[in-house]
Amino acid sequence: MLRYLSAGESHGKALVAIVDGFPAGVPIDLEAINVELRRRQGGYGRGGRQKLEHDQVEVLSGWWRGVSLGSPIALMVVNRDHKLERMDDLYRPRPGHADLAGSIKYLSSVRAVLERASARETAVRVAVGALAKQLLAPLGISVFGYVVAVGPVNVASPGGSLDDLRRRREQSELYTLDPSRDGELKSLVDSAQKTGNTLGGVIEVRVDGLPVGLGSHAHWDRKLDGRLAQAVMSVQAIKGVEIGLGFEMARRFGAEVHDPIQFDPRLIGERCLGFTRPTNNAGGLEAGITNSQTLVIRAAKKPISTLARPLPSVNLETLEPEIASYERSDVCAVAAASCIVENVVAFEIAAALLEKFGGDSLAEIEAHWSSFYQLARRKIQPES
């Protein structure tokens, strides 16, 4: 079972993760992980913290000469802005944060809660997801995230090759697939900043190259759509998740929703069983199982809760009404969130892949994948 545990506070010395169950024989490219960490720090609308941090990953265990050993992998991202012991407590909890509920739950200070609840924790989760991508890549699986809405403004997702879409995203300061809309979106972010406000948005992630059969219909807690939703919802400020058409399905008749099944024996090959669909409204998942189509998942990110023009709150010492505390924050972090969600999805896909094709090494996993498709082709076209 592939799993990880993260630890660390926003202004503590470092963020760390221990990844357990990662197979042996996977080449680990540190620069590829660092690229993702830099992307997480980017995007128009970020705050001053990103100018202080220059996130880089350090691998403390679990590899030798650039290749995974099969033992637990320890990852660390150091906080340059570590000053936790010198920071004061907050007594005016911020609406939308964990400040009030968390401090009551743990009978603790607000500072003790907000330091762990901070989205800074996602730096090490991005590192974990970028590591998982290096297991997926040799198997031909790619995970790609981008922004499809900033506040009330939707941005279309044009077609094209994955390379073309990546190029488009790299040209956009908001990580959309239409860089020509950047001016409009940046003006929206600037407007929010001038009024002491913040903006959210919608993120989309697509996963290509998936085989049939990841996940399960038989156990509620192994359904891949449920697991993906939980993983994505665990990202700070994500308040909604949909797969494929998602909520739009509720507004259509069944004949307009479900993807017809077709079969073309000429398409049968090493990674294709010949089944095709003219549409992908299901978003690559049916009954909690991948069907080999592109997996499409969207996440709704709420506006950042820390406002430069704070909302009403209560002083926890006096219980009198006061304005909420303010801590340095972003105005819009939807672009960064698209990177975070992308990598969280990558890890969950890698975990499901190991459950289906598990082995102690990459070579064993590849052999199990090949064997499964041989058996599946035999089922479709039994030998006479």
Side-chain angles (χ1 to χ4, degrees):
M1 180 174 67
L2 184 63
R3 58 185 180 175
Y4 72 97
L5 187 69
S6 73
E9 287 74 42
S10 179
H11 293 94
K13 291 183 178 180
L15 300 159
V16 297
I18 295 179
V19 182
D20 184 39
F22 198 85
V26 179
I28 299 176
D29 181 354
L30 288 189
E31 180 54 24
I33 299 176
N34 288 331
V35 165
E36 294 297 285
L37 290 174
R38 289 194 292 271
R39 193 159 65 87
R40 175 196 165 277
Q41 290 194 271
Y44 195 78
R46 300 305 303 278
R49 179 77 186 266
Q50 308 315 316
K51 297 177 182 178
L52 300 174
E53 303 293 351
H54 300 283
D55 290 344
Q56 289 191 312
V57 70
E58 185 176 350
V59 182
L60 305 179
S61 70
W63 72 331
W64 182 58
R65 294 181 177 176
V67 179
S68 62
L69 298 175
S71 54
I73 297 175
L75 304 176
M76 179 172 70
V77 178
V78 172
N79 287 329
R80 296 182 64 185
D81 191 30
H82 65 85
K83 55 185 180 183
L84 182 55
E85 295 304 318
R86 305 191 304 274
M87 300 187 78
D88 295 329
D89 198 6
L90 274 67
Y91 297 99
R92 294 166 293 150
R94 299 160 298 170
H97 271 283
D99 297 359
L100 179 60
S103 63
I104 293 174
K105 172 180 170 63
Y106 289 100
L107 305 177
S108 68
S109 68
V110 170
R111 174 66 62 188
V113 171
L114 72 88
E115 284 290 323
R116 178 59 183 168
S118 167
R120 174 67 185 156
E121 177 263 350
T122 59
V124 79
R125 279 207 266 174
V126 166
V128 169
L131 175 69
K133 286 179 182 176
Q134 297 184 35
L135 169 60
L136 299 176
L139 298 165
I141 299 173
S142 65
V143 187
F144 178 59
Y146 42 92
V147 173
V148 294
V150 176
V153 179
N154 295 319
V155 184
S157 302
S161 68
L162 193 55
D163 286 342
D164 181 53
L165 297 181
R166 288 187 189 280
R167 179 182 58 79
R168 288 171 177 267
R169 185 187 69 183
E170 288 169 3
Q171 291 175 347
S172 170
E173 291 186 67
L174 277 300
Y175 298 2
T176 75
L177 300 184
D178 187 357
S180 70
R181 301 286 299 279
D182 273 12
E184 174 187 2
L185 299 177
K186 288 165 68 176
S187 293
L188 190 64
V189 174
D190 292 343
S191 222
Q193 184 176 30
K194 288 175 183 176
T195 58
N197 224 321
T198 58
L199 278 171
V202 180
I203 297 144
E204 186 168 281
V205 175
R206 56 179 284 174
V207 187
D208 291 285
L210 289 169
V212 175
L214 303 190
S216 173
H217 73 284
H219 306 281
W220 68 267
D221 58 342
R222 297 182 194 172
K223 290 176 178 284
L224 187 55
D225 43 11
R227 290 166 52 179
L228 284 166
Q230 191 281 328
V232 172
M233 286 288 286
S234 75
V235 175
Q236 290 86 336
I238 298 300
K239 300 299 287 184
V241 175
E242 64 178 11
I243 295 172
L245 275 183
F247 283 96
E248 178 60 27
M249 286 187 176
R251 293 184 277 268
R252 298 189 184 186
F253 291 104
E256 301 173 294
V257 165
H258 304 296
D259 304 306
I261 301 172
Q262 301 171 347
F263 180 73
D264 185 345
R266 296 171 299 177
L267 298 178
I268 295 176
E270 184 179 348
R271 285 178 171 247
C272 182
L273 299 174
F275 296 104
T276 63
R277 312 286 184 105
T279 57
N280 186 24
N281 295 330
L285 281 163
E286 292 174 305
I289 307 171
T290 56
N291 62 14
S292 83
Q293 288 191 286
T294 298
L295 189 153
V296 180
I297 184 168
R298 279 177 295 280
K301 182 187 180 301
K302 71 177 182 179
I304 292 164
S305 305
T306 300
L307 303 179
R309 188 171 292 175
L311 296 172
S313 183
V314 172
N315 187 305
L316 296 181
E317 290 190 312
T318 67
L319 299 183
E320 293 296 323
E322 288 188 27
I323 295 299
S325 298
Y326 175 73
E327 295 243 313
R328 178 182 57 202
S329 182
D330 303 326
V331 175
C332 180
V334 178
S338 71
C339 174
I340 297 163
V341 172
E342 174 186 313
N343 282 283
V344 164
V345 167
F347 182 86
E348 206 59 42
I349 294 296
L353 180 122
L354 287 177
E355 289 170 12
K356 174 64 178 172
F357 302 111
D360 294 321
S361 68
L362 177 59
E364 190 176 358
I365 295 164
E366 290 173 327
H368 290 167
W369 178 307
S370 178
S371 176
F372 168 73
Y373 267 91
Q374 288 177 13
L375 292 170
R377 286 193 295 272
R378 195 176 304 165
K379 170 182 171 53
I380 295 167
Q381 294 185 319
E383 296 178 1
S384 56

